[in-house]
Amino acid sequence: MKNLTLYIDLAFCLIVLPVMVALWPVERWFHHFMVYMVMAGIWLYAAYFINRFIAIPLLFGGKGRKSCGIAVIIISVTVTFQLARVELYNPKPSIHDAGIVRHLPKVEPYKQALWTLFVIVEIFSFAVGLLTQANRQRSRRRQAESDRDKAEIALYKAQIRPHFMFNTLNSLYGLFLTENPKALSSLEKYISMMRYIHISSSQDFVPVSEEAAYIREYAELQSLRLNDMTGLSLDVYIRSDDFHIPPMLLVTFVENCFKHGVSPVEKSRIDIALRVNDGILEFSTSNHVFHSGADGAGMGIDNCRKRLGLLYPDKYELLISNDGATYRVSLRIDLTS
């Protein structure tokens, strides 16, 4: 499809135009008027490529360029008119013309052939030129949409990183403020996580195993500030590491569990599961609801929705439910293509 117009050009120049020329008595004309026939043939091919690569692109340009395109077409018609004015011979009067008064000038066969072939060349070159321009504009629109999507994804990633850093630093501050013995190990995990964020920030996709390791470190870091009232379950199964996902895509849902599903005085449980099997990613979280705002309308989850829509249109399913007591997330992504 990429070289379709090239194949059409070759087919017209090597097959269609020679066949159309062969329908006329060119052998007799070439024998008697070789120079004229060579000039006419060169001009027909020249007219085809002038329209294809000069006139049509100019017509699709700005206002000034359109005028230039029209001028090129007028020049092509003028050159053809001048070639058609050349008198190669004076036809003998026919006995069938006796008594007939002609109101229109008689056009000799070679002139008819020139004008007919010129019209065919114009129509064909315009058709191929319009097809080329339509494909080019379609490609530009796709590229513009792709650039827009990449810019939006970069924006969402930039929004997620400060959001995560603020919440994690807030947790670390609480550990150091209470002189928790786990504070130092928490800081080491945080540094390791920041290293991952820095490396993955320049990548569009990372192996699923790396994202899973990041989620595990995040959950362990958050669990350091939990007491015995909160139970944590993290189940990760990745059958193959051949599949990749956008970095920092899943951690927002995990972060939401610890933000809204933890209480220092009431029993609660957080369940996180990540499975990748045969190219299908299944991710789920479940937590109790102790704080308002766990309805999925937060900035982080809203950004995840937008990233999923841009990266996996028609290839993902995200279900979020909140019955007031339990908040659940279920995400399924087809990573096979």
Side-chain angles (χ1 to χ4, degrees):
M1 190 67 183
K2 182 179 179 180
N3 298 320
L4 177 62
T5 54
L6 174 61
Y7 297 145
I8 295 177
D9 289 335
L10 292 175
F12 179 78
C13 294
L14 301 179
I15 300 175
V16 177
L17 188 57
V19 169
M20 297 300 300
V21 171
L23 297 178
W24 299 87
V26 291
E27 185 176 353
R28 176 167 57 86
W29 294 341
F30 190 83
H31 179 73
H32 294 286
F33 316 110
M34 182 177 65
V35 175
Y36 181 84
M37 294 301 296
V38 171
M39 290 177 58
I42 292 174
W43 167 243
L44 290 174
Y45 279 104
Y48 179 83
F49 288 104
I50 287 173
N51 281 328
R52 276 279 287 109
F53 300 106
I54 299 178
I56 297 296
L58 287 174
L59 289 176
F60 274 81
K63 187 175 181 180
R65 292 171 62 86
K66 288 181 180 178
S67 300
C68 294
I70 295 173
V72 170
I73 296 173
I74 293 174
I75 292 173
S76 299
V77 175
T78 302
V79 172
T80 305
F81 179 77
Q82 294 299 324
L83 278 174
R85 288 187 61 190
V86 176
E87 297 290 344
L88 299 180
Y89 58 87
N90 293 320
K92 295 180 180 180
S94 172
I95 58 175
H96 300 290
D97 294 339
I100 298 177
V101 179
R102 295 186 178 275
H103 298 284
L104 297 175
K106 183 179 180 180
V107 180
E108 301 304 325
Y110 69 91
K111 296 181 180 181
Q112 295 179 24
L114 179 62
W115 278 111
T116 301
L117 293 173
F118 176 75
V119 170
I120 293 174
V121 165
E122 290 288 295
I123 293 175
F124 211 94
S125 61
F126 267 84
V128 180
L130 290 174
L131 175 63
T132 302
Q133 292 299 321
N135 288 336
R136 188 169 298 168
Q137 290 189 353
R138 191 179 301 113
S139 177
R140 288 174 180 171
R141 284 197 299 269
R142 285 197 297 264
Q143 184 62 42
E145 292 173 357
S146 176
D147 293 341
R148 181 200 63 195
D149 292 346
K150 289 180 179 179
E152 290 184 9
I153 291 171
L155 175 61
Y156 300 147
K157 288 170 65 177
Q159 291 173 341
I160 288 172
R161 284 194 293 271
H163 184 64
F164 155 77
M165 292 172 64
F166 173 80
N167 290 330
T168 307
L169 285 174
N170 190 46
S171 299
L172 286 173
Y173 174 75
L175 292 176
F176 279 98
L177 190 65
T178 59
E179 298 183 355
N180 191 308
K182 300 177 181 179
L184 185 59
S185 60
S186 300
L187 180 60
E188 292 175 350
K189 289 183 179 296
Y190 179 74
I191 293 172
S192 176
M193 295 167 66
M194 289 299 99
R195 186 180 299 110
Y196 172 79
I197 292 177
H198 174 71
I199 295 174
S200 65
S201 62
S202 60
Q203 301 175 354
D204 294 328
F205 293 89
V206 296
V208 180
S209 60
E210 292 186 9
E211 186 73 3
Y214 177 79
I215 291 174
R216 188 181 298 278
E217 285 191 338
Y218 179 86
E220 291 175 354
L221 174 62
Q222 294 296 325
S223 65
L224 292 176
R225 66 181 179 89
L226 302 180
N227 56 27
D228 295 336
M229 301 300 293
T230 303
L232 173 63
S233 172
L234 178 60
D235 179 24
V236 176
Y237 172 77
I238 301 175
R239 183 176 180 180
S240 173
D241 201 28
D242 295 334
F243 299 99
H244 294 65
I245 61 173
M248 304 292 292
L249 180 67
L250 306 177
V251 72
T252 300
F253 300 108
V254 178
E255 180 185 33
N256 195 65
C257 294
F258 290 96
K259 183 178 180 181
H260 303 288
V262 175
S263 172
V265 295
E266 297 184 48
K267 283 188 173 295
S268 62
R269 183 170 182 81
I270 296 174
D271 294 305
I272 303 169
L274 171 62
R275 302 179 66 85
V276 179
N277 191 15
D278 295 332
I280 303 299
L281 181 148
E282 294 178 328
F283 175 77
S284 64
T285 65
S286 175
N287 62 273
H288 288 78
V289 180
F290 293 108
H291 307 283
S292 61
D295 57 356
M299 182 185 71
I301 290 181
D302 187 52
N303 285 346
C304 284
R305 288 182 184 273
K306 293 177 180 177
R307 291 179 73 191
L308 287 167
L310 291 169
L311 294 167
Y312 301 104
D314 304 323
K315 297 186 65 177
Y316 82 97
E317 182 180 7
L318 176 62
L319 301 176
I320 298 178
S321 64
N322 181 8
D323 59 7
T326 305
Y327 183 84
R328 293 183 175 89
V329 173
S330 177
L331 173 63
R332 187 178 188 274
I333 306 176
D334 184 356
L335 304 175
T336 54
S337 60

